[in-house]
Amino acid sequence: SGLNNFNVYPNPTSDNMVTVYTDVSINTRALLEIYNTLGELIKSERLVQNQQQLYVGDLSSGVYVVSVKSSDQNYIQKLIIQH
């Protein structure tokens, strides 16, 4: 039921930026990560706000997985990039 608390917009995206909306407590050292379909970590940054902009302009078109991990929560969602 975590989908209501975690969203990536716009998705699919042709923009250079997406916004990650989450209710994860930002003082829990949560991480915002992007993986490719092979499971390789592409990007990782600290989650510092509940509406966090994420630069994806350097990623090739394709399917990615956006993950938010904190000590007690783990959300994942597919992100489709169409440059």
Side-chain angles (χ1 to χ4, degrees):
S1 64
L3 289 178
N4 297 333
N5 310 319
F6 175 54
N7 195 30
V8 182
Y9 182 84
N11 185 11
T13 185
S14 56
D15 299 343
N16 286 334
M17 301 292 291
V18 294
T19 303
V20 178
Y21 299 91
T22 174
D23 68 350
V24 171
S25 174
I26 57 173
N27 60 4
T28 58
R29 295 180 178 267
L31 283 178
L32 178 56
E33 298 177 333
I34 295 187
Y35 294 87
N36 64 16
T37 50
L38 301 176
E40 297 168 329
L41 181 62
I42 305 297
K43 285 181 183 287
S44 179
E45 57 186 66
R46 285 282 306 279
L47 188 72
V48 293
Q49 51 193 7
N50 290 115
Q51 294 184 20
Q52 184 149 326
Q53 297 250 287
L54 185 62
Y55 180 71
V56 295
D58 54 345
L59 299 182
S60 304
S61 296
V63 179
Y64 296 86
V65 173
V66 181
S67 163
V68 171
K69 292 180 189 163
S70 68
S71 55
D72 58 349
Q73 290 167 291
N74 186 8
Y75 296 145
I76 60 170
Q77 185 172 327
K78 278 186 180 170
L79 170 63
I80 298 169
I81 295 177
Q82 301 168 331
H83 288 310

